[in-house]
Every structure is written in structure tokens, then in C-alpha cells.
PDB file of all heavy atoms in Angstrom:
ATOM      1  N   GLU A   7      -8.306  -0.119   5.727  1.00  0.00           N
ATOM      2  CA  GLU A   7      -7.871  -1.229   6.625  1.00  0.00           C
ATOM      3  C   GLU A   7      -7.703  -2.470   5.808  1.00  0.00           C
ATOM      4  O   GLU A   7      -8.564  -2.773   4.969  1.00  0.00           O
ATOM      5  CB  GLU A   7      -8.960  -1.415   7.694  1.00  0.00           C
ATOM      6  CG  GLU A   7      -9.155  -0.227   8.592  1.00  0.00           C
ATOM      7  CD  GLU A   7     -10.355  -0.453   9.596  1.00  0.00           C
ATOM      8  OE1 GLU A   7     -10.813  -1.650   9.718  1.00  0.00           O
ATOM      9  OE2 GLU A   7     -10.816   0.534  10.160  1.00  0.00           O
ATOM     10  N   ILE A   8      -6.619  -3.216   6.078  1.00  0.00           N
ATOM     11  CA  ILE A   8      -6.412  -4.475   5.454  1.00  0.00           C
ATOM     12  C   ILE A   8      -6.664  -5.542   6.482  1.00  0.00           C
ATOM     13  O   ILE A   8      -6.147  -5.595   7.589  1.00  0.00           O
ATOM     14  CB  ILE A   8      -4.958  -4.617   4.938  1.00  0.00           C
ATOM     15  CG1 ILE A   8      -4.554  -3.445   4.128  1.00  0.00           C
ATOM     16  CG2 ILE A   8      -4.722  -5.939   4.251  1.00  0.00           C
ATOM     17  CD1 ILE A   8      -5.398  -3.160   2.888  1.00  0.00           C
ATOM     18  N   ARG A   9      -7.611  -6.464   6.146  1.00  0.00           N
ATOM     19  CA  ARG A   9      -8.021  -7.511   7.044  1.00  0.00           C
ATOM     20  C   ARG A   9      -7.884  -8.905   6.430  1.00  0.00           C
ATOM     21  O   ARG A   9      -8.051  -9.040   5.199  1.00  0.00           O
ATOM     22  CB  ARG A   9      -9.507  -7.376   7.477  1.00  0.00           C
ATOM     23  CG  ARG A   9      -9.763  -6.022   8.175  1.00  0.00           C
ATOM     24  CD  ARG A   9     -11.217  -5.949   8.488  1.00  0.00           C
ATOM     25  NE  ARG A   9     -11.531  -4.587   9.097  1.00  0.00           N
ATOM     26  CZ  ARG A   9     -12.746  -4.148   9.207  1.00  0.00           C
ATOM     27  NH1 ARG A   9     -13.825  -4.790   8.770  1.00  0.00           N
ATOM     28  NH2 ARG A   9     -12.938  -2.915   9.732  1.00  0.00           N
ATOM     29  N   ASP A  10      -7.586  -9.891   7.235  1.00  0.00           N
ATOM     30  CA  ASP A  10      -7.564 -11.315   6.895  1.00  0.00           C
ATOM     31  C   ASP A  10      -6.708 -11.574   5.663  1.00  0.00           C
ATOM     32  O   ASP A  10      -7.090 -12.332   4.783  1.00  0.00           O
ATOM     33  CB  ASP A  10      -9.041 -11.778   6.664  1.00  0.00           C
ATOM     34  CG  ASP A  10      -9.087 -13.351   6.676  1.00  0.00           C
ATOM     35  OD1 ASP A  10      -8.251 -14.007   7.306  1.00  0.00           O
ATOM     36  OD2 ASP A  10      -9.919 -13.866   5.965  1.00  0.00           O
ATOM     37  N   ALA A  11      -5.487 -10.968   5.624  1.00  0.00           N
ATOM     38  CA  ALA A  11      -4.612 -11.185   4.475  1.00  0.00           C
ATOM     39  C   ALA A  11      -3.866 -12.412   4.647  1.00  0.00           C
ATOM     40  O   ALA A  11      -3.414 -12.772   5.754  1.00  0.00           O
ATOM     41  CB  ALA A  11      -3.691  -9.979   4.407  1.00  0.00           C
ATOM     42  N   TYR A  12      -3.717 -13.174   3.559  1.00  0.00           N
ATOM     43  CA  TYR A  12      -2.872 -14.370   3.525  1.00  0.00           C
ATOM     44  C   TYR A  12      -2.280 -14.534   2.113  1.00  0.00           C
ATOM     45  O   TYR A  12      -2.836 -13.996   1.158  1.00  0.00           O
ATOM     46  CB  TYR A  12      -3.594 -15.596   4.009  1.00  0.00           C
ATOM     47  CG  TYR A  12      -4.605 -16.169   3.046  1.00  0.00           C
ATOM     48  CD1 TYR A  12      -4.294 -17.309   2.321  1.00  0.00           C
ATOM     49  CD2 TYR A  12      -5.874 -15.614   2.936  1.00  0.00           C
ATOM     50  CE1 TYR A  12      -5.238 -17.872   1.382  1.00  0.00           C
ATOM     51  CE2 TYR A  12      -6.829 -16.134   2.045  1.00  0.00           C
ATOM     52  CZ  TYR A  12      -6.455 -17.241   1.324  1.00  0.00           C
ATOM     53  OH  TYR A  12      -7.383 -17.754   0.414  1.00  0.00           O
ATOM     54  N   ALA A  13      -1.229 -15.279   2.025  1.00  0.00           N
ATOM     55  CA  ALA A  13      -0.591 -15.507   0.764  1.00  0.00           C
ATOM     56  C   ALA A  13      -0.428 -17.082   0.607  1.00  0.00           C
ATOM     57  O   ALA A  13      -0.423 -17.817   1.594  1.00  0.00           O
ATOM     58  CB  ALA A  13       0.797 -14.879   0.629  1.00  0.00           C
ATOM     59  N   ARG A  14      -0.282 -17.549  -0.593  1.00  0.00           N
ATOM     60  CA  ARG A  14      -0.041 -18.918  -0.882  1.00  0.00           C
ATOM     61  C   ARG A  14       0.641 -19.109  -2.253  1.00  0.00           C
ATOM     62  O   ARG A  14       0.565 -18.274  -3.065  1.00  0.00           O
ATOM     63  CB  ARG A  14      -1.338 -19.723  -0.795  1.00  0.00           C
ATOM     64  CG  ARG A  14      -2.404 -19.415  -1.834  1.00  0.00           C
ATOM     65  CD  ARG A  14      -3.596 -20.358  -1.768  1.00  0.00           C
ATOM     66  NE  ARG A  14      -3.353 -21.654  -2.246  1.00  0.00           N
ATOM     67  CZ  ARG A  14      -3.194 -22.710  -1.476  1.00  0.00           C
ATOM     68  NH1 ARG A  14      -3.389 -22.664  -0.178  1.00  0.00           N
ATOM     69  NH2 ARG A  14      -2.867 -23.854  -2.025  1.00  0.00           N
ATOM     70  N   ALA A  15       1.159 -20.298  -2.378  1.00  0.00           N
ATOM     71  CA  ALA A  15       1.745 -20.780  -3.658  1.00  0.00           C
ATOM     72  C   ALA A  15       1.274 -22.165  -3.822  1.00  0.00           C
ATOM     73  O   ALA A  15       0.907 -22.846  -2.850  1.00  0.00           O
ATOM     74  CB  ALA A  15       3.290 -20.669  -3.661  1.00  0.00           C
ATOM     75  N   ALA A  16       1.272 -22.691  -5.044  1.00  0.00           N
ATOM     76  CA  ALA A  16       0.828 -24.038  -5.362  1.00  0.00           C
ATOM     77  C   ALA A  16       1.670 -25.125  -4.703  1.00  0.00           C
ATOM     78  O   ALA A  16       1.168 -26.156  -4.294  1.00  0.00           O
ATOM     79  CB  ALA A  16       0.684 -24.258  -6.861  1.00  0.00           C
ATOM     80  N   SER A  17       2.973 -24.819  -4.590  1.00  0.00           N
ATOM     81  CA  SER A  17       3.890 -25.788  -3.988  1.00  0.00           C
ATOM     82  C   SER A  17       5.105 -25.028  -3.512  1.00  0.00           C
ATOM     83  O   SER A  17       5.366 -23.902  -3.916  1.00  0.00           O
ATOM     84  CB  SER A  17       4.327 -26.864  -5.012  1.00  0.00           C
ATOM     85  OG  SER A  17       5.187 -26.321  -5.971  1.00  0.00           O
ATOM     86  N   PRO A  18       5.959 -25.670  -2.681  1.00  0.00           N
ATOM     87  CA  PRO A  18       7.198 -25.037  -2.215  1.00  0.00           C
ATOM     88  C   PRO A  18       8.093 -24.585  -3.342  1.00  0.00           C
ATOM     89  O   PRO A  18       8.860 -23.692  -3.213  1.00  0.00           O
ATOM     90  CB  PRO A  18       7.836 -26.072  -1.284  1.00  0.00           C
ATOM     91  CG  PRO A  18       6.712 -26.972  -0.854  1.00  0.00           C
ATOM     92  CD  PRO A  18       5.739 -26.975  -2.028  1.00  0.00           C
ATOM     93  N   MET A  19       8.046 -25.307  -4.509  1.00  0.00           N
ATOM     94  CA  MET A  19       8.914 -24.946  -5.611  1.00  0.00           C
ATOM     95  C   MET A  19       8.254 -24.057  -6.673  1.00  0.00           C
ATOM     96  O   MET A  19       8.875 -23.765  -7.667  1.00  0.00           O
ATOM     97  CB  MET A  19       9.390 -26.290  -6.349  1.00  0.00           C
ATOM     98  CG  MET A  19      10.160 -27.156  -5.340  1.00  0.00           C
ATOM     99  SD  MET A  19      11.577 -26.399  -4.539  1.00  0.00           S
ATOM    100  CE  MET A  19      12.611 -26.106  -5.888  1.00  0.00           C
ATOM    101  N   ALA A  20       7.094 -23.588  -6.428  1.00  0.00           N
ATOM    102  CA  ALA A  20       6.353 -22.782  -7.366  1.00  0.00           C
ATOM    103  C   ALA A  20       7.026 -21.494  -7.626  1.00  0.00           C
ATOM    104  O   ALA A  20       7.761 -20.941  -6.775  1.00  0.00           O
ATOM    105  CB  ALA A  20       4.942 -22.518  -6.844  1.00  0.00           C
ATOM    106  N   MET A  21       7.003 -20.985  -8.841  1.00  0.00           N
ATOM    107  CA  MET A  21       7.612 -19.699  -9.224  1.00  0.00           C
ATOM    108  C   MET A  21       6.639 -18.566  -9.178  1.00  0.00           C
ATOM    109  O   MET A  21       6.983 -17.407  -9.423  1.00  0.00           O
ATOM    110  CB  MET A  21       8.153 -19.819 -10.629  1.00  0.00           C
ATOM    111  CG  MET A  21       9.356 -20.754 -10.731  1.00  0.00           C
ATOM    112  SD  MET A  21      10.701 -20.376  -9.618  1.00  0.00           S
ATOM    113  CE  MET A  21      11.223 -18.738 -10.172  1.00  0.00           C
ATOM    114  N   ALA A  22       5.429 -18.803  -8.727  1.00  0.00           N
ATOM    115  CA  ALA A  22       4.390 -17.759  -8.564  1.00  0.00           C
ATOM    116  C   ALA A  22       3.614 -18.010  -7.316  1.00  0.00           C
ATOM    117  O   ALA A  22       3.492 -19.118  -6.811  1.00  0.00           O
ATOM    118  CB  ALA A  22       3.431 -17.774  -9.797  1.00  0.00           C
ATOM    119  N   GLY A  23       3.105 -16.961  -6.731  1.00  0.00           N
ATOM    120  CA  GLY A  23       2.269 -16.987  -5.531  1.00  0.00           C
ATOM    121  C   GLY A  23       1.238 -15.853  -5.582  1.00  0.00           C
ATOM    122  O   GLY A  23       1.324 -14.994  -6.536  1.00  0.00           O
ATOM    123  N   ALA A  24       0.318 -15.874  -4.691  1.00  0.00           N
ATOM    124  CA  ALA A  24      -0.764 -14.837  -4.719  1.00  0.00           C
ATOM    125  C   ALA A  24      -1.115 -14.489  -3.295  1.00  0.00           C
ATOM    126  O   ALA A  24      -0.843 -15.221  -2.318  1.00  0.00           O
ATOM    127  CB  ALA A  24      -1.957 -15.369  -5.420  1.00  0.00           C
ATOM    128  N   ALA A  25      -1.611 -13.264  -3.126  1.00  0.00           N
ATOM    129  CA  ALA A  25      -2.084 -12.779  -1.808  1.00  0.00           C
ATOM    130  C   ALA A  25      -3.530 -12.376  -1.934  1.00  0.00           C
ATOM    131  O   ALA A  25      -3.971 -11.857  -3.002  1.00  0.00           O
ATOM    132  CB  ALA A  25      -1.302 -11.595  -1.324  1.00  0.00           C
ATOM    133  N   PHE A  26      -4.288 -12.590  -0.849  1.00  0.00           N
ATOM    134  CA  PHE A  26      -5.742 -12.330  -0.809  1.00  0.00           C
ATOM    135  C   PHE A  26      -6.044 -11.588   0.513  1.00  0.00           C
ATOM    136  O   PHE A  26      -5.368 -11.787   1.473  1.00  0.00           O
ATOM    137  CB  PHE A  26      -6.499 -13.692  -0.837  1.00  0.00           C
ATOM    138  CG  PHE A  26      -5.940 -14.637  -1.903  1.00  0.00           C
ATOM    139  CD1 PHE A  26      -5.053 -15.654  -1.601  1.00  0.00           C
ATOM    140  CD2 PHE A  26      -6.292 -14.435  -3.210  1.00  0.00           C
ATOM    141  CE1 PHE A  26      -4.535 -16.473  -2.509  1.00  0.00           C
ATOM    142  CE2 PHE A  26      -5.786 -15.348  -4.229  1.00  0.00           C
ATOM    143  CZ  PHE A  26      -4.876 -16.321  -3.867  1.00  0.00           C
ATOM    144  N   MET A  27      -7.046 -10.810   0.462  1.00  0.00           N
ATOM    145  CA  MET A  27      -7.418  -9.951   1.667  1.00  0.00           C
ATOM    146  C   MET A  27      -8.660  -9.238   1.460  1.00  0.00           C
ATOM    147  O   MET A  27      -9.217  -9.178   0.363  1.00  0.00           O
ATOM    148  CB  MET A  27      -6.217  -8.925   1.909  1.00  0.00           C
ATOM    149  CG  MET A  27      -6.133  -7.929   0.737  1.00  0.00           C
ATOM    150  SD  MET A  27      -4.556  -7.057   0.648  1.00  0.00           S
ATOM    151  CE  MET A  27      -3.509  -8.295  -0.019  1.00  0.00           C
ATOM    152  N   GLU A  28      -9.157  -8.671   2.535  1.00  0.00           N
ATOM    153  CA  GLU A  28     -10.254  -7.709   2.517  1.00  0.00           C
ATOM    154  C   GLU A  28      -9.646  -6.316   2.604  1.00  0.00           C
ATOM    155  O   GLU A  28      -8.796  -6.070   3.460  1.00  0.00           O
ATOM    156  CB  GLU A  28     -11.188  -7.912   3.726  1.00  0.00           C
ATOM    157  CG  GLU A  28     -11.917  -9.165   3.816  1.00  0.00           C
ATOM    158  CD  GLU A  28     -12.713  -9.282   5.038  1.00  0.00           C
ATOM    159  OE1 GLU A  28     -13.394  -8.278   5.502  1.00  0.00           O
ATOM    160  OE2 GLU A  28     -12.743 -10.379   5.680  1.00  0.00           O
ATOM    161  N   ILE A  29     -10.048  -5.396   1.793  1.00  0.00           N
ATOM    162  CA  ILE A  29      -9.628  -4.043   1.831  1.00  0.00           C
ATOM    163  C   ILE A  29     -10.885  -3.201   2.225  1.00  0.00           C
ATOM    164  O   ILE A  29     -11.842  -3.150   1.465  1.00  0.00           O
ATOM    165  CB  ILE A  29      -9.067  -3.539   0.490  1.00  0.00           C
ATOM    166  CG1 ILE A  29      -7.878  -4.401   0.076  1.00  0.00           C
ATOM    167  CG2 ILE A  29      -8.653  -2.041   0.625  1.00  0.00           C
ATOM    168  CD1 ILE A  29      -7.409  -4.106  -1.346  1.00  0.00           C
ATOM    169  N   VAL A  30     -10.866  -2.664   3.413  1.00  0.00           N
ATOM    170  CA  VAL A  30     -12.015  -1.925   3.968  1.00  0.00           C
ATOM    171  C   VAL A  30     -11.736  -0.431   3.902  1.00  0.00           C
ATOM    172  O   VAL A  30     -10.699   0.070   4.422  1.00  0.00           O
ATOM    173  CB  VAL A  30     -12.354  -2.356   5.404  1.00  0.00           C
ATOM    174  CG1 VAL A  30     -13.535  -1.646   5.979  1.00  0.00           C
ATOM    175  CG2 VAL A  30     -12.507  -3.874   5.489  1.00  0.00           C
ATOM    176  N   ASN A  31     -12.652   0.358   3.277  1.00  0.00           N
ATOM    177  CA  ASN A  31     -12.526   1.810   3.236  1.00  0.00           C
ATOM    178  C   ASN A  31     -13.571   2.303   4.191  1.00  0.00           C
ATOM    179  O   ASN A  31     -14.761   2.268   3.839  1.00  0.00           O
ATOM    180  CB  ASN A  31     -12.799   2.241   1.811  1.00  0.00           C
ATOM    181  CG  ASN A  31     -12.644   3.769   1.627  1.00  0.00           C
ATOM    182  OD1 ASN A  31     -12.507   4.423   2.625  1.00  0.00           O
ATOM    183  ND2 ASN A  31     -12.560   4.234   0.432  1.00  0.00           N
ATOM    184  N   THR A  32     -13.151   2.804   5.291  1.00  0.00           N
ATOM    185  CA  THR A  32     -14.089   3.395   6.277  1.00  0.00           C
ATOM    186  C   THR A  32     -14.363   4.833   6.049  1.00  0.00           C
ATOM    187  O   THR A  32     -15.193   5.464   6.709  1.00  0.00           O
ATOM    188  CB  THR A  32     -13.571   3.210   7.723  1.00  0.00           C
ATOM    189  OG1 THR A  32     -12.294   3.885   7.831  1.00  0.00           O
ATOM    190  CG2 THR A  32     -13.383   1.683   8.010  1.00  0.00           C
ATOM    191  N   GLY A  33     -13.683   5.395   5.047  1.00  0.00           N
ATOM    192  CA  GLY A  33     -13.796   6.877   4.744  1.00  0.00           C
ATOM    193  C   GLY A  33     -14.997   7.158   3.812  1.00  0.00           C
ATOM    194  O   GLY A  33     -15.722   6.313   3.359  1.00  0.00           O
ATOM    195  N   ASP A  34     -15.150   8.433   3.524  1.00  0.00           N
ATOM    196  CA  ASP A  34     -16.246   8.930   2.726  1.00  0.00           C
ATOM    197  C   ASP A  34     -15.814   9.155   1.274  1.00  0.00           C
ATOM    198  O   ASP A  34     -16.599   9.646   0.500  1.00  0.00           O
ATOM    199  CB  ASP A  34     -16.795  10.219   3.307  1.00  0.00           C
ATOM    200  CG  ASP A  34     -17.509  10.033   4.671  1.00  0.00           C
ATOM    201  OD1 ASP A  34     -18.089   8.912   4.823  1.00  0.00           O
ATOM    202  OD2 ASP A  34     -17.430  10.882   5.474  1.00  0.00           O
ATOM    203  N   THR A  35     -14.532   8.875   0.985  1.00  0.00           N
ATOM    204  CA  THR A  35     -13.995   9.082  -0.374  1.00  0.00           C
ATOM    205  C   THR A  35     -13.557   7.773  -0.909  1.00  0.00           C
ATOM    206  O   THR A  35     -12.860   6.994  -0.298  1.00  0.00           O
ATOM    207  CB  THR A  35     -12.716  10.038  -0.222  1.00  0.00           C
ATOM    208  OG1 THR A  35     -13.142  11.194   0.388  1.00  0.00           O
ATOM    209  CG2 THR A  35     -12.199  10.324  -1.638  1.00  0.00           C
ATOM    210  N   PRO A  36     -13.982   7.426  -2.177  1.00  0.00           N
ATOM    211  CA  PRO A  36     -13.503   6.202  -2.767  1.00  0.00           C
ATOM    212  C   PRO A  36     -11.997   6.230  -2.988  1.00  0.00           C
ATOM    213  O   PRO A  36     -11.397   7.293  -3.035  1.00  0.00           O
ATOM    214  CB  PRO A  36     -14.227   6.135  -4.134  1.00  0.00           C
ATOM    215  CG  PRO A  36     -14.855   7.458  -4.307  1.00  0.00           C
ATOM    216  CD  PRO A  36     -14.823   8.213  -3.018  1.00  0.00           C
ATOM    217  N   ASP A  37     -11.410   5.061  -3.031  1.00  0.00           N
ATOM    218  CA  ASP A  37      -9.957   4.951  -3.320  1.00  0.00           C
ATOM    219  C   ASP A  37      -9.807   3.857  -4.346  1.00  0.00           C
ATOM    220  O   ASP A  37     -10.695   3.243  -4.751  1.00  0.00           O
ATOM    221  CB  ASP A  37      -9.217   4.673  -1.993  1.00  0.00           C
ATOM    222  CG  ASP A  37      -7.748   5.167  -2.040  1.00  0.00           C
ATOM    223  OD1 ASP A  37      -7.201   5.332  -3.132  1.00  0.00           O
ATOM    224  OD2 ASP A  37      -7.195   5.389  -0.950  1.00  0.00           O
ATOM    225  N   ARG A  38      -8.509   3.623  -4.713  1.00  0.00           N
ATOM    226  CA  ARG A  38      -8.221   2.580  -5.639  1.00  0.00           C
ATOM    227  C   ARG A  38      -6.873   1.957  -5.347  1.00  0.00           C
ATOM    228  O   ARG A  38      -5.918   2.712  -5.161  1.00  0.00           O
ATOM    229  CB  ARG A  38      -8.263   3.163  -7.091  1.00  0.00           C
ATOM    230  CG  ARG A  38      -7.914   2.191  -8.183  1.00  0.00           C
ATOM    231  CD  ARG A  38      -8.068   2.787  -9.549  1.00  0.00           C
ATOM    232  NE  ARG A  38      -9.483   3.029  -9.828  1.00  0.00           N
ATOM    233  CZ  ARG A  38     -10.286   2.151 -10.344  1.00  0.00           C
ATOM    234  NH1 ARG A  38      -9.873   0.930 -10.592  1.00  0.00           N
ATOM    235  NH2 ARG A  38     -11.557   2.447 -10.632  1.00  0.00           N
ATOM    236  N   LEU A  39      -6.828   0.659  -5.234  1.00  0.00           N
ATOM    237  CA  LEU A  39      -5.520  -0.040  -5.122  1.00  0.00           C
ATOM    238  C   LEU A  39      -4.926  -0.067  -6.540  1.00  0.00           C
ATOM    239  O   LEU A  39      -5.522  -0.588  -7.449  1.00  0.00           O
ATOM    240  CB  LEU A  39      -5.718  -1.423  -4.588  1.00  0.00           C
ATOM    241  CG  LEU A  39      -4.484  -2.311  -4.509  1.00  0.00           C
ATOM    242  CD1 LEU A  39      -3.459  -1.739  -3.502  1.00  0.00           C
ATOM    243  CD2 LEU A  39      -4.825  -3.772  -4.179  1.00  0.00           C
ATOM    244  N   ILE A  40      -3.772   0.591  -6.686  1.00  0.00           N
ATOM    245  CA  ILE A  40      -3.187   0.687  -8.061  1.00  0.00           C
ATOM    246  C   ILE A  40      -1.973  -0.103  -8.275  1.00  0.00           C
ATOM    247  O   ILE A  40      -1.538  -0.290  -9.382  1.00  0.00           O
ATOM    248  CB  ILE A  40      -2.954   2.225  -8.432  1.00  0.00           C
ATOM    249  CG1 ILE A  40      -2.073   2.878  -7.402  1.00  0.00           C
ATOM    250  CG2 ILE A  40      -4.270   2.955  -8.551  1.00  0.00           C
ATOM    251  CD1 ILE A  40      -1.618   4.293  -7.776  1.00  0.00           C
ATOM    252  N   ALA A  41      -1.318  -0.605  -7.232  1.00  0.00           N
ATOM    253  CA  ALA A  41      -0.092  -1.315  -7.340  1.00  0.00           C
ATOM    254  C   ALA A  41       0.224  -2.067  -6.070  1.00  0.00           C
ATOM    255  O   ALA A  41      -0.388  -1.719  -4.983  1.00  0.00           O
ATOM    256  CB  ALA A  41       1.073  -0.463  -7.776  1.00  0.00           C
ATOM    257  N   ALA A  42       1.173  -2.998  -6.128  1.00  0.00           N
ATOM    258  CA  ALA A  42       1.692  -3.622  -4.990  1.00  0.00           C
ATOM    259  C   ALA A  42       3.158  -3.904  -5.219  1.00  0.00           C
ATOM    260  O   ALA A  42       3.578  -4.072  -6.420  1.00  0.00           O
ATOM    261  CB  ALA A  42       0.955  -4.950  -4.686  1.00  0.00           C
ATOM    262  N   LYS A  43       3.971  -3.899  -4.199  1.00  0.00           N
ATOM    263  CA  LYS A  43       5.446  -4.113  -4.263  1.00  0.00           C
ATOM    264  C   LYS A  43       5.853  -5.089  -3.208  1.00  0.00           C
ATOM    265  O   LYS A  43       5.275  -5.023  -2.108  1.00  0.00           O
ATOM    266  CB  LYS A  43       6.164  -2.824  -4.089  1.00  0.00           C
ATOM    267  CG  LYS A  43       5.759  -1.707  -5.052  1.00  0.00           C
ATOM    268  CD  LYS A  43       6.651  -0.498  -4.900  1.00  0.00           C
ATOM    269  CE  LYS A  43       5.992   0.499  -3.882  1.00  0.00           C
ATOM    270  NZ  LYS A  43       6.640   1.797  -3.805  1.00  0.00           N
ATOM    271  N   ALA A  44       6.786  -5.946  -3.525  1.00  0.00           N
ATOM    272  CA  ALA A  44       7.344  -6.929  -2.533  1.00  0.00           C
ATOM    273  C   ALA A  44       8.653  -7.402  -3.039  1.00  0.00           C
ATOM    274  O   ALA A  44       8.866  -7.613  -4.201  1.00  0.00           O
ATOM    275  CB  ALA A  44       6.387  -8.098  -2.322  1.00  0.00           C
ATOM    276  N   GLY A  45       9.605  -7.633  -2.100  1.00  0.00           N
ATOM    277  CA  GLY A  45      10.939  -8.070  -2.465  1.00  0.00           C
ATOM    278  C   GLY A  45      11.006  -9.593  -2.719  1.00  0.00           C
ATOM    279  O   GLY A  45      12.050 -10.072  -3.044  1.00  0.00           O
ATOM    280  N   VAL A  46       9.890 -10.302  -2.560  1.00  0.00           N
ATOM    281  CA  VAL A  46       9.890 -11.733  -2.697  1.00  0.00           C
ATOM    282  C   VAL A  46       9.719 -12.281  -4.123  1.00  0.00           C
ATOM    283  O   VAL A  46       9.694 -13.411  -4.427  1.00  0.00           O
ATOM    284  CB  VAL A  46       8.892 -12.430  -1.808  1.00  0.00           C
ATOM    285  CG1 VAL A  46       9.171 -12.155  -0.306  1.00  0.00           C
ATOM    286  CG2 VAL A  46       7.453 -12.000  -2.186  1.00  0.00           C
ATOM    287  N   ALA A  47       9.533 -11.296  -5.059  1.00  0.00           N
ATOM    288  CA  ALA A  47       9.269 -11.668  -6.490  1.00  0.00           C
ATOM    289  C   ALA A  47       9.910 -10.663  -7.453  1.00  0.00           C
ATOM    290  O   ALA A  47      10.038  -9.499  -7.059  1.00  0.00           O
ATOM    291  CB  ALA A  47       7.744 -11.752  -6.671  1.00  0.00           C
ATOM    292  N   LYS A  48      10.220 -11.205  -8.668  1.00  0.00           N
ATOM    293  CA  LYS A  48      10.685 -10.308  -9.706  1.00  0.00           C
ATOM    294  C   LYS A  48       9.636  -9.335 -10.144  1.00  0.00           C
ATOM    295  O   LYS A  48       9.982  -8.151 -10.500  1.00  0.00           O
ATOM    296  CB  LYS A  48      11.154 -11.142 -10.874  1.00  0.00           C
ATOM    297  CG  LYS A  48      12.390 -12.005 -10.551  1.00  0.00           C
ATOM    298  CD  LYS A  48      12.792 -12.823 -11.690  1.00  0.00           C
ATOM    299  CE  LYS A  48      13.931 -13.767 -11.365  1.00  0.00           C
ATOM    300  NZ  LYS A  48      14.236 -14.726 -12.459  1.00  0.00           N
ATOM    301  N   ARG A  49       8.370  -9.745 -10.161  1.00  0.00           N
ATOM    302  CA  ARG A  49       7.291  -8.898 -10.567  1.00  0.00           C
ATOM    303  C   ARG A  49       6.119  -9.060  -9.624  1.00  0.00           C
ATOM    304  O   ARG A  49       5.836 -10.198  -9.215  1.00  0.00           O
ATOM    305  CB  ARG A  49       6.806  -9.213 -11.977  1.00  0.00           C
ATOM    306  CG  ARG A  49       7.720  -8.723 -13.051  1.00  0.00           C
ATOM    307  CD  ARG A  49       7.100  -8.718 -14.422  1.00  0.00           C
ATOM    308  NE  ARG A  49       5.999  -9.552 -14.691  1.00  0.00           N
ATOM    309  CZ  ARG A  49       5.973 -10.577 -15.546  1.00  0.00           C
ATOM    310  NH1 ARG A  49       6.977 -10.876 -16.318  1.00  0.00           N
ATOM    311  NH2 ARG A  49       4.825 -11.246 -15.761  1.00  0.00           N
TER     312      ARG A  49
END
């Protein structure tokens, strides 16, 4: 489950931004976030 996610950049003209969130694993097996993809950035 992804909770309380939000993103921000330092200014409207910034070339970088970041996202923050809680990742809740309610299951009995560990998992791993290995990547993220979005069309709003080159990388």
C-alpha cells in the first residue's frame, strides 16, 4: 500500500523534483522497491 505520497521541487523552474511516501507491506513476504518510472522527467 502506498500512503501519504507527495512530490515537490525547490522552485517552479527547478530541473529536479522528488517524491516521498509511506510504503506499507501488509503481507508475510518481504519485498523491495527496485525502480520508479514517470513521464515528467528524463531520469
Side-chain angles (χ1 to χ4, degrees):
E7 298 175 14
I8 308 304
R9 298 181 185 162
D10 196 28
Y12 74 100
R14 63 175 288 108
S17 74
M19 299 307 291
M21 292 305 297
F26 314 98
M27 65 200 74
E28 295 177 40
I29 303 171
V30 181
N31 184 348
T32 61
D34 294 327
T35 305
D37 206 338
R38 178 173 290 277
L39 176 63
I40 56 173
K43 302 184 268 189
V46 297
K48 293 177 185 174
R49 287 194 338 242

